[in-house]
Amino acid sequence: MKFLLNPNSFQNITNLLFKPILIVSLVLLILGLIFSFYLSPNDYQQGSTVRIMYIHVPSAWMSLMTYMIMVIYSIVALAFRIPFGFIINTAVAPIGAVFTLICIITGSLWGKPMWGTWWVWDARLTSVAILFIIYLIIIFINNSFENRAVREKIVAIFILIGSVNLPIIKFSVDWWNTLHQPASISKLSKPNIDPSMMTPLIIMTLALMLVGISIAILRINTEITNRKNSL
Amino acid sequence: MSLRFQRLLLILVSVIMIFVAVLLILYNGRKNISYFYTPSELASLKIDIDKKVRLGGFVEKNSFIKITASSFKFKISDDLKSIDVAYQGLLPDLFREGQGAVIEGYMTKNNVLNATSVFAKHDENYMPASIKKGLENTGYWNKNY
C-alpha cells in the first residue's frame, strides 16, 4: 500500500491501472443508467421521480467520502510530514465540490415535484450547502498564496476544522425536524429500499466512485508532475 | 514520545475540541434549528398571532375538506394533538390524507393555522408500485403508509 503515500509509486501503479479503471467505470455507468431508467420499477408513492435517487444519493455519498479522504490525508500530512497528503488535498477538492453540486441540483429537481419546493432552509439542506461552500473555500485557498508550504498547511487545517460538518450532515435528519426524510440505509437495520431498487443504486454508486477515482488519478498525477517540474 | 506522535495527538485533541464546541452550540440552539414544530409542541407554545410558524405532522384521516378548487381545510396531527389548517393555493402531488406534510403560515385567533405554503414530506421507504398492489390483494398492506 506504499503507493497511497509515495508519489513515485503512485504514478507507477496508476499508469498501469488507469485504463482498466476508466473502462470499468464507463461500463458500470452505462449499465447503471440502463438499470435506473429501464430495469427498475416505479415507486409506490413517487412514481418515476424515484429514479432521481440513483444519481442524487451516490453523489451525496461521494461528496462525503471525498471529504473524508481529505481529512485522513490532512492528518497524515500534518502529523507525519508526508507531502503526498497535500498533493491529494489540492487534487481532489474540486471533485468533491462537483459531487456536492450534483447532489444539490438533483435534490432540488427532486424536491420540486415531491415536496412542492426547490429549496428550504432545513438542517440537512443547509448543512450540505455549507459543505459546498467549504469545498469552494478550500479551492480558493489552494489558488491564493505565493508560498506553497504556507498555503498547504492552511488548507489542511481548514479541512480539519470543516470536518465538524460531516457528522452534522449525517445526523441532521435524526437530531432535528427536517423536511428531508431520514436515511433509508443504515448498518443497524434492514434497508428500507426494495432489492429491485437497490441494484441500480449500488451499480450507480460503484460507477460514480470509479469515475471519481479516474478523475482523481489524472488530477493527482498532473499535480505530481507540476511539482516535479517546478523544483 | 516521538515528535510525530505529539503532532498527531495535538491535531486529534484540537479537532475533538472543535467538535465538542460546535455540538454544544447546536445542542443549545436546537429549537431554532428544527425546521418545524410538531402539533403538540405548537400547542404547548404561546405563539404570537401574525408570527410566521412552520408545523409538521400527518394529514389527519377524514379531515380533508375541499371548499373550492384551490381552497382547502384539513387537520395536521401527530397522534397526540391536531391543529386546524386553512390553505388557498396549489397542493403538492404527494399531498393526501395520512401523508406527512409541513405547513408554513400564521396562527389566527381561533387557533386555525392560515397556511401560506404547504410542502409534502415523504418517508424513507422505497417500494415498487407492483408490490403494493400485491400486498393490498393479499391483505398485508399497512394502511398507515
Side-chain angles (χ1 to χ4, degrees):
Chain A
M1 297 306 267
K2 195 184 156 205
F3 76 101
L4 291 175
L5 293 172
N6 180 301
N8 287 326
S9 39
F10 183 86
Q11 277 191 319
N12 290 337
I13 287 186
T14 50
N15 280 342
L16 288 174
L17 286 180
F18 177 67
K19 266 192 188 150
I21 291 179
L22 187 67
I23 291 166
V24 173
S25 73
L26 292 180
V27 169
L28 280 177
L29 194 62
I30 293 166
L31 193 70
L33 287 175
I34 292 173
F35 260 95
S36 319
F37 280 110
Y38 299 107
L39 299 178
S40 66
N42 281 349
D43 184 59
Y44 75 108
Q45 269 193 44
Q46 307 190 29
S48 207
T49 329
V50 74
R51 295 170 209 280
I52 297 173
M53 175 173 72
Y54 306 132
I55 187 83
H56 174 75
V57 172
S59 44
W61 284 340
M62 285 309 296
S63 67
L64 296 178
M65 210 182 290
T66 311
Y67 202 95
M68 241 130 68
I69 290 170
M70 296 201 307
V71 170
I72 293 167
Y73 271 107
S74 297
I75 294 174
V76 168
L78 287 175
F80 302 107
R81 296 282 149 91
I82 293 171
F84 189 54
F86 295 131
I87 296 177
I88 300 267
N89 284 346
T90 316
V92 304
I95 301 174
V98 169
F99 276 124
T100 317
L101 192 62
I102 293 174
C103 167
I104 290 173
I105 291 173
T106 53
S108 193
L109 292 173
W110 197 3
K112 185 61 185 171
M114 287 302 111
W115 298 341
T117 176
W118 300 104
W119 186 266
V120 292
W121 293 103
D122 82 348
R124 171 57 76 80
L125 277 65
T126 308
S127 55
V128 173
I130 291 172
L131 178 70
F132 182 61
I133 294 168
I134 289 175
Y135 271 124
L136 288 187
I137 294 173
I138 292 168
I139 296 169
F140 289 154
I141 304 176
N142 263 326
N143 289 301
S144 41
F145 291 103
E146 289 283 309
N147 186 332
R148 197 175 73 197
V150 174
R151 175 235 296 166
E152 286 173 339
K153 267 188 192 158
I154 296 177
V155 167
I157 292 169
F158 185 78
I159 289 171
L160 290 180
I161 296 172
S163 69
V164 70
N165 196 26
L166 295 186
I168 296 177
I169 293 177
K170 173 80 183 86
F171 296 111
S172 54
V173 287
D174 305 321
W175 289 345
W176 303 295
N177 295 332
T178 54
L179 187 60
H180 193 286
Q181 71 282 8
S184 302
I185 299 165
S186 67
K187 269 181 196 154
L188 297 172
S189 60
K190 205 163 71 79
N192 298 325
I193 301 182
D194 191 79
S196 60
M197 294 164 150
M198 269 312 262
T199 320
L201 187 60
I202 290 169
I203 299 176
M204 283 302 284
T205 305
L206 287 175
L208 284 197
M209 207 184 278
L210 290 178
V211 168
I213 290 173
S214 312
I215 301 169
I217 288 175
L218 282 180
R219 289 188 54 89
I220 293 165
N221 281 335
T222 311
E223 185 68 24
I224 295 171
T225 314
N226 279 344
R227 289 187 183 210
K228 278 183 183 160
N229 290 342
S230 66
L231 280 177
Chain B
M1 201 152 54
S2 73
L3 199 59
R4 320 173 134 192
F5 186 67
Q6 281 182 28
R7 278 197 301 256
L8 181 65
L9 212 62
L10 181 71
I11 291 168
L12 292 181
V13 169
S14 333
V15 169
I16 290 169
M17 304 253 276
I18 295 170
F19 270 53
V20 171
V22 173
L23 284 181
L24 279 175
I25 296 171
L26 291 176
Y27 182 76
N28 286 300
R30 66 192 183 285
K31 280 254 159 63
N32 294 321
I33 295 166
S34 274
Y35 188 64
F36 54 79
Y37 295 116
T38 62
S40 352
E41 281 168 356
L42 194 68
S44 66
L45 284 168
K46 282 258 175 271
I47 296 288
D48 292 340
I49 292 166
D50 301 332
K51 194 186 161 220
K52 198 172 218 174
V53 286
R54 277 185 294 254
L55 167 73
F58 290 95
V59 184
E60 199 171 279
K61 290 267 152 90
N62 308 321
S63 74
F64 184 78
I65 303 163
K66 192 170 171 179
I67 301 165
T68 64
S70 64
S71 171
F72 312 96
K73 259 186 173 174
F74 48 88
K75 283 181 178 158
I76 291 289
S77 141
D78 61 352
D79 284 343
L80 300 168
K81 275 256 188 292
S82 65
I83 287 180
D84 290 300
V85 181
Y87 177 61
Q88 282 194 322
L90 291 173
L91 290 169
D93 285 356
L94 273 187
F95 185 93
R96 59 172 183 263
E97 287 181 353
Q99 180 76 29
V102 176
I103 318 293
E104 192 175 70
Y106 302 89
M107 283 307 275
T108 55
K109 274 178 198 152
N110 38 6
N111 277 332
V112 175
L113 186 68
N114 230 335
T116 49
S117 33
V118 171
F119 309 125
K121 203 166 146 43
H122 64 80
D123 57 24
E124 66 276 27
N125 299 301
Y126 298 90
M127 194 195 309
S130 55
I131 288 191
K132 186 198 170 195
K133 256 186 201 147
L135 284 175
E136 276 173 344
N137 290 341
T138 49
Y140 280 111
W141 178 250
N142 182 349
K143 291 269 165 43
N144 290 330
Y145 283 144

